[in-house]
Amino acid sequence: MKKKYLIGNWKMYKTVQEAVVFMQQLLPQLEAIRPLAICDTALALYIAPSFLHLPAIAALLGDQKSIQLLAQNCHHEAEGAFTGEVSAAMLASIGVSGVLIGHSERRNYQKEDHPLLAKKIKRVLEAGMQPFFCCGESLAARRSGNHKAMVQQQLQESLVDLTPKEIETLVIAYEPVWAIGTGQVATMEEITEMHTFIRGILSNHYGVGNVPILYGGSCNPQNAAAIFGCADVAGGLIGGASLEADQFVKMIMALLA
Ligand code: 13P
């Protein structure tokens, strides 16, 4: 059975208190769901909250592994005089499992480019965590038919220095920018086409065939089952619909269906 993934990316939402309440609502529901997953390793659940929430949620989780923590970002240097930044090693030291790298909001608002993202991936790997690499075309690229070229460039220029063994540790999230937070979900044909395309790049260029590829962009409890049913969709990277525990549980159920 192929492993399935669901990640809640909380972006810049929730106070620490609200984050704790969410987890207190979610954890008992995860206990109830657990028998539905054939085995623990078949389902990987993650929350990617703000840096500030990570220690509080880590303390609440203790030794439980029913859901793991991701960070939304980290700095591209191992350490140094970078006021206000957070290193990969700091995140690993509090039990964070992985880091989102290359989310379109960071590419757009923080102007993060391909070489910078390549460095961040290295830092995450050095710290013993898993990189969750986000890619996806802009609306302009989709309209002009350049969607594949844009995603290909994102993958090639940020993954270029990785060995096949390192590529195998990645999770890829395909998130078309025009589908993020817009309610305009990609069609099943578009999703399947891009996942097949990304799979082809990973196997042709790196000889790696088993990297999970997730979809993200206006995924919600109503459309999740159809999206997760598409060929080679290993799960979802969820924004808005991950902010309420009940909605998040519905998405897990769609993944397990
Ligand atoms: P929405 O699910 O709100 O469209 O956000 C997707 C996303 O950006 C997850 O990283």
Side-chain angles (χ1 to χ4, degrees):
M1 177 182 187
K2 282 211 163 164
K3 193 165 171 176
K4 295 177 174 185
Y5 295 77
L6 196 70
I7 305 168
N9 175 10
W10 284 354
K11 309 190 179 187
M12 200 175 74
Y13 289 103
K14 294 192 186 294
T15 62
V16 175
Q17 290 80 2
E18 287 165 349
V20 167
V21 168
F22 176 101
M23 294 309 295
Q24 287 167 339
Q25 291 170 345
L26 181 70
L27 290 177
Q29 299 195 63
L30 291 188
E31 276 306 305
I33 286 171
R34 189 199 288 255
L36 298 177
I38 307 271
C39 65
D40 281 350
T41 53
L43 180 65
L45 301 176
Y46 301 88
I47 288 290
S50 136
F51 287 138
L52 209 56
H53 303 116
L54 290 167
I57 300 180
L60 212 114
L61 289 176
D63 291 336
Q64 310 191 36
K65 291 274 179 267
S66 57
I67 188 158
Q68 300 173 64
L69 284 171
L70 299 185
Q72 296 176 16
N73 179 39
C74 69
H75 197 261
H76 60 279
E77 296 292 349
E79 62 179 3
F82 301 108
T83 301
E85 296 293 343
V86 174
S87 74
M90 290 173 188
L91 296 167
S93 75
I94 59 161
V96 171
S97 305
V99 183
L100 300 180
I101 304 285
H103 193 282
S104 66
E105 287 151 15
R106 294 204 62 84
R107 292 177 190 266
N108 289 338
Y109 303 135
Q110 269 70 38
K111 304 293 173 221
E112 295 191 348
D113 60 11
H114 308 307
L116 183 98
L117 299 176
K119 285 187 190 166
K120 290 191 181 206
I121 292 173
K122 285 282 185 190
R123 295 291 92 82
V124 171
L125 290 171
E126 278 166 17
M129 295 183 294
Q130 196 172 12
F132 288 68
F133 183 75
C134 307
C135 59
E137 79 281 2
S138 62
L139 182 60
R142 169 62 64 177
R143 284 197 172 140
S144 61
N146 290 321
H147 47 290
K148 286 185 179 172
M150 186 169 181
V151 168
Q152 181 162 11
Q153 190 183 24
Q154 290 171 341
L155 290 169
Q156 285 180 345
E157 295 200 17
S158 292
L159 309 187
V160 65
D161 293 332
L162 299 181
T163 63
K165 218 169 155 33
E166 288 173 327
I167 299 273
E168 274 177 3
T169 68
L170 297 179
V171 172
I172 304 280
Y174 168 62
E175 297 201 299
V177 179
W178 47 271
I180 294 178
T182 58
Q184 195 192 338
V185 69
T187 65
M188 304 309 119
E189 291 74 25
E190 287 165 338
I191 295 172
T192 304
E193 181 193 40
M194 289 307 286
H195 280 235
T196 305
F197 179 68
I198 293 167
R199 174 72 60 215
I201 294 173
L202 296 174
S203 44
N204 296 338
H205 289 260
Y206 305 99
V208 174
N210 53 0
V211 174
I213 307 174
L214 319 185
Y215 170 81
S218 296
C219 198
N220 60 40
Q222 288 71 47
N223 60 29
I227 292 171
F228 297 156
C230 289
D232 214 358
V233 173
L237 177 53
I238 316 301
S242 73
L243 292 170
E244 301 292 334
D246 289 351
Q247 298 257 99
F248 194 63
V249 168
K250 284 184 185 154
M251 310 284 288
I252 300 170
M253 299 306 287
L255 194 60
L256 292 174

Short mmCIF file of all heavy atoms in Angstrom, two decimals, residues 126-153:
data_model
loop_
_atom_site.label_atom_id
_atom_site.label_comp_id
_atom_site.label_asym_id
_atom_site.label_seq_id
_atom_site.Cartn_x
_atom_site.Cartn_y
_atom_site.Cartn_z
N GLU A 126 20.78 18.45 5.87
CA GLU A 126 21.88 18.41 6.84
C GLU A 126 21.37 18.28 8.27
O GLU A 126 22.00 17.66 9.11
CB GLU A 126 22.69 19.72 6.78
CG GLU A 126 23.72 19.77 5.67
CD GLU A 126 24.23 21.21 5.47
OE1 GLU A 126 24.05 22.05 6.37
OE2 GLU A 126 24.79 21.45 4.40
N ALA A 127 20.22 18.91 8.53
CA ALA A 127 19.65 18.88 9.88
C ALA A 127 18.87 17.59 10.13
O ALA A 127 18.27 17.43 11.20
CB ALA A 127 18.75 20.10 10.09
N GLY A 128 18.85 16.70 9.14
CA GLY A 128 18.19 15.41 9.32
C GLY A 128 16.68 15.47 9.18
O GLY A 128 15.97 14.58 9.64
N MET A 129 16.20 16.53 8.53
CA MET A 129 14.75 16.64 8.33
C MET A 129 14.41 16.39 6.84
O MET A 129 15.28 16.24 6.00
CB MET A 129 14.26 18.03 8.73
CG MET A 129 14.42 18.32 10.21
SD MET A 129 13.75 19.95 10.66
CE MET A 129 14.85 21.03 9.78
N GLN A 130 13.11 16.37 6.57
CA GLN A 130 12.65 16.07 5.21
C GLN A 130 12.21 17.37 4.51
O GLN A 130 11.40 18.12 5.07
CB GLN A 130 11.45 15.11 5.31
CG GLN A 130 11.12 14.43 4.01
CD GLN A 130 10.06 13.34 4.19
OE1 GLN A 130 9.41 13.23 5.24
NE2 GLN A 130 9.88 12.55 3.16
N PRO A 131 12.73 17.63 3.31
CA PRO A 131 12.25 18.80 2.56
C PRO A 131 10.92 18.48 1.85
O PRO A 131 10.79 17.44 1.21
CB PRO A 131 13.34 19.05 1.51
CG PRO A 131 14.47 18.13 1.87
CD PRO A 131 13.87 16.99 2.63
N PHE A 132 9.98 19.39 1.97
CA PHE A 132 8.71 19.29 1.24
C PHE A 132 8.75 20.41 0.21
O PHE A 132 8.50 21.58 0.54
CB PHE A 132 7.52 19.45 2.20
CG PHE A 132 7.33 18.26 3.10
CD1 PHE A 132 8.25 17.96 4.10
CD2 PHE A 132 6.24 17.43 2.94
CE1 PHE A 132 8.08 16.85 4.92
CE2 PHE A 132 6.05 16.32 3.75
CZ PHE A 132 6.98 16.03 4.74
N PHE A 133 9.11 20.05 -1.01
CA PHE A 133 9.40 21.06 -2.03
C PHE A 133 8.14 21.40 -2.83
O PHE A 133 7.50 20.51 -3.42
CB PHE A 133 10.50 20.55 -2.97
CG PHE A 133 10.91 21.56 -4.00
CD1 PHE A 133 11.70 22.65 -3.65
CD2 PHE A 133 10.49 21.45 -5.32
CE1 PHE A 133 12.07 23.61 -4.59
CE2 PHE A 133 10.85 22.40 -6.27
CZ PHE A 133 11.65 23.48 -5.90
N CYS A 134 7.79 22.68 -2.84
CA CYS A 134 6.57 23.12 -3.53
C CYS A 134 6.93 23.69 -4.90
O CYS A 134 7.90 24.43 -5.04
CB CYS A 134 5.86 24.21 -2.74
SG CYS A 134 5.53 23.77 -1.03
N CYS A 135 6.11 23.35 -5.89
CA CYS A 135 6.28 23.90 -7.22
C CYS A 135 4.89 24.16 -7.80
O CYS A 135 3.89 23.70 -7.24
CB CYS A 135 7.06 22.93 -8.12
SG CYS A 135 6.27 21.32 -8.30
N GLY A 136 4.84 24.90 -8.88
CA GLY A 136 3.54 25.17 -9.49
C GLY A 136 3.60 26.41 -10.35
O GLY A 136 4.35 27.33 -10.06
N GLU A 137 2.81 26.41 -11.41
CA GLU A 137 2.89 27.50 -12.38
C GLU A 137 1.99 28.67 -12.00
O GLU A 137 0.98 28.50 -11.31
CB GLU A 137 2.52 27.00 -13.78
CG GLU A 137 1.03 26.83 -14.06
CD GLU A 137 0.44 25.56 -13.48
OE1 GLU A 137 1.17 24.80 -12.81
OE2 GLU A 137 -0.77 25.32 -13.70
N SER A 138 2.35 29.84 -12.50
CA SER A 138 1.52 31.04 -12.33
C SER A 138 0.33 30.98 -13.30
O SER A 138 0.32 30.15 -14.23
CB SER A 138 2.36 32.28 -12.65
OG SER A 138 2.77 32.21 -14.00
N LEU A 139 -0.60 31.89 -13.09
CA LEU A 139 -1.75 31.96 -14.00
C LEU A 139 -1.28 32.33 -15.41
O LEU A 139 -1.74 31.75 -16.40
CB LEU A 139 -2.75 33.01 -13.48
CG LEU A 139 -4.03 33.16 -14.30
CD1 LEU A 139 -4.81 31.85 -14.36
CD2 LEU A 139 -4.91 34.25 -13.70
N ALA A 140 -0.31 33.27 -15.48
CA ALA A 140 0.18 33.69 -16.80
C ALA A 140 0.81 32.52 -17.53
O ALA A 140 0.59 32.32 -18.74
CB ALA A 140 1.19 34.83 -16.62
N ALA A 141 1.59 31.71 -16.80
CA ALA A 141 2.23 30.56 -17.44
C ALA A 141 1.18 29.55 -17.91
O ALA A 141 1.29 28.98 -19.00
CB ALA A 141 3.21 29.91 -16.47
N ARG A 142 0.16 29.35 -17.10
CA ARG A 142 -0.90 28.41 -17.49
C ARG A 142 -1.63 28.92 -18.74
O ARG A 142 -1.87 28.16 -19.67
CB ARG A 142 -1.85 28.23 -16.29
CG ARG A 142 -3.14 27.51 -16.51
CD ARG A 142 -3.04 26.06 -16.96
NE ARG A 142 -2.42 25.14 -16.04
CZ ARG A 142 -2.32 23.82 -16.27
NH1 ARG A 142 -2.82 23.29 -17.38
NH2 ARG A 142 -1.71 23.02 -15.41
N ARG A 143 -1.93 30.22 -18.74
CA ARG A 143 -2.69 30.79 -19.88
C ARG A 143 -1.89 30.74 -21.16
O ARG A 143 -2.43 30.59 -22.25
CB ARG A 143 -3.10 32.23 -19.57
CG ARG A 143 -4.26 32.27 -18.60
CD ARG A 143 -4.93 33.64 -18.61
NE ARG A 143 -6.15 33.62 -17.82
CZ ARG A 143 -6.54 34.60 -17.02
NH1 ARG A 143 -5.79 35.68 -16.91
NH2 ARG A 143 -7.66 34.51 -16.35
N SER A 144 -0.56 30.92 -21.03
CA SER A 144 0.25 30.96 -22.26
C SER A 144 0.76 29.57 -22.65
O SER A 144 1.55 29.44 -23.58
CB SER A 144 1.44 31.91 -22.06
OG SER A 144 2.24 31.43 -21.00
N GLY A 145 0.33 28.55 -21.89
CA GLY A 145 0.75 27.19 -22.24
C GLY A 145 2.16 26.86 -21.79
O GLY A 145 2.74 25.86 -22.21
N ASN A 146 2.73 27.71 -20.90
CA ASN A 146 4.10 27.48 -20.43
C ASN A 146 4.14 26.83 -19.04
O ASN A 146 5.16 26.90 -18.36
CB ASN A 146 4.87 28.81 -20.38
CG ASN A 146 5.15 29.33 -21.76
OD1 ASN A 146 5.46 28.56 -22.66
ND2 ASN A 146 5.02 30.63 -21.95
N HIS A 147 3.04 26.22 -18.65
CA HIS A 147 2.98 25.66 -17.28
C HIS A 147 4.01 24.56 -17.05
O HIS A 147 4.65 24.51 -16.01
CB HIS A 147 1.57 25.18 -16.95
CG HIS A 147 0.92 24.36 -18.00
ND1 HIS A 147 0.50 24.87 -19.21
CD2 HIS A 147 0.64 23.04 -18.04
CE1 HIS A 147 -0.04 23.91 -19.93
NE2 HIS A 147 0.06 22.78 -19.25
N LYS A 148 4.18 23.71 -18.04
CA LYS A 148 5.15 22.61 -17.85
C LYS A 148 6.57 23.16 -17.79
O LYS A 148 7.37 22.73 -16.96
CB LYS A 148 5.03 21.60 -18.99
CG LYS A 148 3.80 20.73 -18.87
CD LYS A 148 3.82 19.67 -19.95
CE LYS A 148 2.61 18.78 -19.85
NZ LYS A 148 2.50 17.87 -20.99
N ALA A 149 6.87 24.11 -18.68
CA ALA A 149 8.23 24.68 -18.70
C ALA A 149 8.55 25.35 -17.37
O ALA A 149 9.67 25.22 -16.85
CB ALA A 149 8.35 25.67 -19.85
N MET A 150 7.57 26.04 -16.79
CA MET A 150 7.82 26.74 -15.53
C MET A 150 8.09 25.76 -14.39
O MET A 150 9.03 25.94 -13.60
CB MET A 150 6.62 27.64 -15.19
CG MET A 150 6.86 28.52 -13.99
SD MET A 150 5.57 29.77 -13.83
CE MET A 150 6.16 30.61 -12.38
N VAL A 151 7.30 24.72 -14.32
CA VAL A 151 7.48 23.72 -13.25
C VAL A 151 8.79 22.95 -13.45
O VAL A 151 9.51 22.67 -12.50
CB VAL A 151 6.25 22.79 -13.19
CG1 VAL A 151 6.51 21.59 -12.30
CG2 VAL A 151 5.03 23.56 -12.68
N GLN A 152 9.09 22.67 -14.71
CA GLN A 152 10.35 21.97 -15.01
C GLN A 152 11.55 22.79 -14.53
O GLN A 152 12.48 22.27 -13.91
CB GLN A 152 10.46 21.72 -16.51
CG GLN A 152 11.73 20.99 -16.90
CD GLN A 152 11.62 20.37 -18.29
OE1 GLN A 152 10.69 20.66 -19.03
NE2 GLN A 152 12.56 19.52 -18.62
N GLN A 153 11.50 24.10 -14.78
CA GLN A 153 12.60 24.96 -14.36
C GLN A 153 12.70 25.01 -12.82
O GLN A 153 13.80 24.95 -12.25
CB GLN A 153 12.40 26.38 -14.91
CG GLN A 153 13.64 27.24 -14.71
CD GLN A 153 13.44 28.67 -15.17
OE1 GLN A 153 12.32 29.16 -15.23
NE2 GLN A 153 14.53 29.33 -15.48
#
